[in-house]
Amino acid sequence: MNYRETPHTFSVAADQSMGIAALPETPGDCGVIVVVGGPQYRVGSHRQFLLLSRRLAAEGYPVFRFDYRGMGDSRGARRDFDDVSEDIRAAIDAFHGICPGLKRIVLWGLCDAASACLIYTQAFQDARVDGLVLLNPWVRSEASLAQTQIKHYYGQRLLQREFWLKLFGGKLNLFSALREFLHKAAKAKERPSANTSEVMTFQEKMAEGVREFKGRILLILSGQDYTAKEFLDHASANKTWAEALATGRVERIDIPEADHTFSSAIQRSHVEKKTLRWLDGAQSG
């Protein structure tokens, strides 16, 4: 191996957190912090974050992956994705201490970790963060989920032979299915009321993060994922996201066969290659 992995502890407020650094023998000046999404720790589902870190480190990029407070080997109270900006900031501080030659930081996050990255940029506008890699960002609300299911699920079900076999075979309760559909349709028609609160919703913080961020953004979307479809529906209706995507400030890559977590070796390899190509482009830009 042309890199080494070392554990590191660092403080977030009064709590001790744990991270793992993958450091190339000759590290470049651009480092990647893998932000963890969902109720999991730094290894990631099917070892995704560990394998990504090793692949990037093998190509010369220092990588740091860490546990939020209350998860994995980090102490403290567990918190939701929209309340981890302090954890991300402390991880960036720790990474700079581990690898003082860093000049630029890229935050990499999947699902609600992608959301957390944008919320962080909105909260701190940290000049050390030069790029974001966002995979299937989480923007869910009850109405947006219903809209996505109506648009992408129910229409497809009507075209599936299995659905009609279940229906005519008596294995599907038509009235129950119809009631569920009507409930979803009602939710899908709901329009979010104007937010009169002084507290921004997490979706608003994400959009503000996109608007204010001056660095490069790579958006990777799975073709077989309702979270990605829900994000695209949300982005098309949101002025800030629509402008960012239309002007090319956000580079978008679709992986049609991929599921939400890019669970197969082929899908994972696609993500690694797309991330490396984008990082290499940033180096030469």
Side-chain angles (χ1 to χ4, degrees), residues 138-151 184 187-188 226-227 230:
W138 177 267
V139 293
R140 179 154 301 171
S141 66
E142 191 173 1
S144 69
L145 176 60
Q147 291 164 8
T148 301
Q149 290 175 330
I150 291 291
K151 181 176 179 180
K184 297 289 186 184
K187 285 293 181 184
Y226 281 109
T227 298
E230 191 174 350

Side-chain angles (χ1 to χ4, degrees), residues 14 23 35 68 72 90 111 125 130 168 181 202 223 234:
L23 302 174
V35 180
Y68 296 147
C111 190
Q125 300 180 35
D130 182 69
F168 291 118
F181 173 80
F202 83 85
H234 170 83

Side-chain angles (χ1 to χ4, degrees), residues 40-178:
Q40 58 181 319
Y41 75 122
R42 62 188 179 271
V43 171
S45 55
H46 45 82
R47 304 173 76 228
Q48 179 185 31
F49 304 147
L50 179 151
L51 295 171
L52 171 71
S53 297
R54 291 176 175 175
R55 175 68 187 278
L56 298 182
E59 298 295 333
Y61 291 97
V63 184
F64 191 60
R65 51 190 170 88
F66 68 100
D67 296 333
Y68 296 147
R69 285 171 289 176
M71 291 299 299
D73 293 309
S74 294
R75 298 181 179 179
R78 181 175 163 183
R79 58 210 67 236
D80 292 330
F81 72 93
D82 56 350
D83 188 29
V84 294
S85 289
E86 290 287 353
D87 299 70
I88 295 173
R89 188 176 195 179
I92 294 174
D93 292 341
F95 197 20
H96 268 282
I98 297 164
C99 202
L102 291 176
K103 295 180 180 178
R104 297 178 293 122
I105 293 287
V106 170
L107 300 181
W108 189 104
L110 165 67
C111 190
D112 62 17
S115 308
C117 291
L118 288 172
I119 292 170
Y120 176 78
T121 64
Q122 184 272 333
F124 287 109
Q125 300 180 35
D126 190 338
R128 298 173 296 179
V129 179
D130 182 69
L132 303 173
V133 180
L134 311 173
L135 297 86
N136 301 331
W138 177 267
V139 293
R140 179 154 301 171
S141 66
E142 191 173 1
S144 69
L145 176 60
Q147 291 164 8
T148 301
Q149 290 175 330
I150 291 291
K151 181 176 179 180
H152 299 286
Y153 174 74
Y154 286 99
Q156 292 179 2
R157 282 288 284 161
L158 291 175
L159 299 177
Q160 293 174 352
R161 181 171 177 268
E162 179 187 1
F163 170 80
W164 294 105
L165 289 174
K166 284 185 176 181
L167 179 63
F168 291 118
K171 297 180 180 180
L172 180 67
N173 187 320
L174 179 60
F175 292 104
S176 176
L178 181 59

Side-chain angles (χ1 to χ4, degrees), residues 181-257:
F181 173 80
L182 292 175
H183 174 73
K184 297 289 186 184
K187 285 293 181 184
K189 288 182 179 180
E190 291 181 357
R191 290 291 179 265
S193 57
N195 181 17
T196 58
S197 169
E198 294 183 2
V199 179
M200 298 173 68
T201 66
F202 83 85
Q203 295 95 338
E204 290 171 338
K205 291 178 181 179
M206 289 173 63
E208 188 72 4
V210 169
R211 189 183 69 81
E212 293 180 351
F213 188 63
K214 306 305 180 186
R216 301 170 70 242
I217 300 177
L218 174 63
L219 176 65
I220 301 178
L221 298 174
S222 299
Q224 307 300 317
D225 176 42
Y226 281 109
T227 298
K229 297 179 190 300
E230 191 174 350
F231 167 78
L232 284 175
D233 290 341
H234 170 83
S236 65
N238 180 281
K239 182 179 178 181
T240 299
W241 274 110
E243 288 179 350
L245 290 168
T247 58
R249 195 161 60 85
V250 178
E251 180 181 348
R252 172 181 164 186
I253 293 176
D254 295 289
I255 304 181
E257 71 280 9

